[in-house]
Amino acid sequence: MDKNTAQEADAQYKENTTEDELTIEVVITKYGNYIYNLALKLSSNPEDANDLAQETFIKAWKHIADVKEPIAIKKWLRTICVNEFRMMIRKEKRDNICYVENVEDLEKDSTLLINVSPLVIDEIQTTEEVIKLRNGCFLAMTRKLTLNQRITFSLIDMFGLSKNEVSEILGLSEKAVKGLLYRARMNLESFFQGHCSFLDINNPCSCTAWIEFMQNRSQLQEEMKQKIDILDYKERGYSFDSNVRQKILHYYNNMPDQRPSQEWYEKVIELVKKSYN
């Protein structure tokens, strides 16, 4: 969801919702899709996204009365979702997740951040299955970023938040957030530059070839996840390439939203009511 769409949703919500109408059904109907897609891009896993979005609404509803203005609900839910995600990762005790990076080093890296506009790419004529596979691969590789790099990249480059908004969520300086974004982009670019055939037809990794040899998409994605423990562009000796940056930003910026099933909405509403009735 881009910034304009999100702002329109907020404006419509503020216009159409009064305090008396603030029911869990209204909140989940208005923001269920938004929070689910945020959870999906943070977790890069549909099952984790279901659980993460569900926990977000359960935690949020306990304090819904504290929200004075309906316009603030989306930002409030987003912060809860990010915090729930961080707790989820810590509970997993994953060895390859770095929780804290040196803030001074990050602030130095911030001076290296180069902002470029994504390319408008004429998509290669390809099947829906290939597109889904590519998007799944791109999501999977965000899991190889350190925790704060993944949050920063997901919120800024996939969800359209500003660096200032992310600095508030993470409790870091805007310079540190710029450093995290620089590292995240460089790490992803260094991996895809030498692997993905969507960036260069001569690269070895082809979605079509994978589909020919693998019937089960989940098996393919699991293999991709195991290719590398954590991304580090310095180990690969990668240098900034504006063409690679533009192409990768295009693919991440244009990753479509996914809508959870109607059953998911009903389940979350039921769970919230059971928790607080």
Side-chain angles (χ1 to χ4, degrees):
M1 179 182 293
D2 61 32
K3 284 186 177 179
N4 289 337
T5 304
Q7 289 169 353
E8 289 171 4
D10 279 343
Q12 183 179 8
Y13 188 85
K14 186 174 183 179
E15 180 181 346
N16 295 336
T17 306
T18 66
E19 186 175 354
D20 292 336
E21 295 171 335
L22 205 58
T23 66
I24 187 59
E25 289 89 350
V26 168
V27 172
I28 291 178
T29 298
K30 292 288 184 183
Y31 288 116
N33 192 53
Y34 179 86
I35 293 300
Y36 174 81
N37 278 279
L38 173 59
L40 179 61
K41 287 168 181 173
L42 288 171
S43 67
S44 306
N45 182 293
E47 291 184 4
D48 288 344
N50 280 333
D51 294 341
L52 183 56
Q54 174 180 298
E55 284 302 309
T56 297
F57 284 110
I58 290 175
K59 291 287 177 65
W61 193 247
K62 183 177 182 180
H63 301 286
I64 192 70
D66 296 338
V67 181
K68 304 302 181 185
E69 294 289 338
I71 193 66
I73 289 178
K74 181 166 73 79
K75 179 179 179 181
W76 182 62
L77 288 170
R78 184 171 62 218
T79 301
I80 293 173
C81 185
V82 173
N83 288 335
E84 286 296 308
F85 168 67
R86 287 195 280 195
M87 285 192 287
M88 181 187 77
I89 290 294
R90 291 188 173 100
K91 287 177 183 177
E92 289 179 2
K93 296 181 180 177
R94 285 174 50 191
D95 294 335
N96 65 338
I97 284 290
C98 173
Y99 296 106
V100 179
E101 294 173 82
N102 186 288
V103 175
E104 290 183 2
D105 289 344
L106 289 176
E107 292 187 343
K108 289 178 183 176
D109 281 354
S110 71
T111 62
L112 303 173
L113 181 66
I114 298 172
N115 288 320
V116 298
S117 299
L119 285 173
V120 177
I121 295 176
D122 290 330
E123 288 280 4
I124 301 169
Q125 192 69 26
T126 189
T127 65
E128 183 179 350
E129 188 174 24
V130 167
I131 292 172
K132 286 182 178 179
L133 189 58
R134 180 196 67 202
N135 289 341
C137 172
F138 273 62
L139 273 177
M141 292 317 296
T142 63
R143 292 176 68 95
K144 303 303 181 181
L145 298 171
T146 65
L147 181 62
N148 281 344
Q149 284 178 30
R150 194 205 304 193
I151 292 172
T152 300
F153 180 81
S154 299
L155 292 179
I156 293 175
D157 281 348
M158 289 198 284
F159 235 67
L161 269 67
S162 70
K163 299 176 188 69
N164 181 59
E165 287 174 310
V166 175
S167 72
E168 290 180 9
I169 290 172
L170 293 180
L172 295 171
S173 69
E174 191 167 335
K175 282 186 177 180
V177 168
K178 288 180 181 178
L180 287 166
L181 184 60
Y182 168 78
R183 291 185 181 186
R185 287 176 174 175
M186 292 290 281
N187 284 329
L188 290 167
E189 289 161 21
S190 68
F191 176 80
F192 284 116
Q193 180 210 36
H195 289 83
C196 181
S197 61
F198 277 95
L199 269 68
D200 184 341
I201 194 66
N202 297 312
N203 278 335
C205 192
S206 164
C207 293
T208 303
W210 275 112
I211 290 172
E212 289 175 357
F213 288 102
M214 298 282 189
Q215 297 299 315
N216 189 321
R217 185 179 298 115
S218 63
Q219 182 180 352
L220 164 61
Q221 291 178 351
E222 186 61 33
E223 186 138 345
M224 176 59 72
K225 291 174 188 176
Q226 294 172 2
K227 274 183 173 290
I228 189 169
D229 285 335
I230 194 166
L231 298 179
D232 188 345
Y233 71 93
K234 294 179 181 177
E235 288 185 4
R236 292 178 53 83
Y238 175 76
S239 298
F240 173 73
D241 184 321
S242 62
N243 188 51
V244 172
R245 169 74 51 85
Q246 287 177 309
K247 288 183 178 179
I248 287 180
L249 286 178
H250 167 82
Y251 288 125
Y252 276 110
N253 288 172
N254 289 279
M255 197 172 288
D257 280 354
Q258 297 185 37
R259 183 174 178 81
S261 66
Q262 182 61 35
E263 289 76 15
W264 178 84
Y265 282 91
E266 293 169 358
K267 178 184 176 183
V268 175
I269 291 171
E270 182 181 355
L271 284 170
V272 171
K273 287 182 173 179
K274 281 183 178 179
S275 298
Y276 299 113
N277 282 349

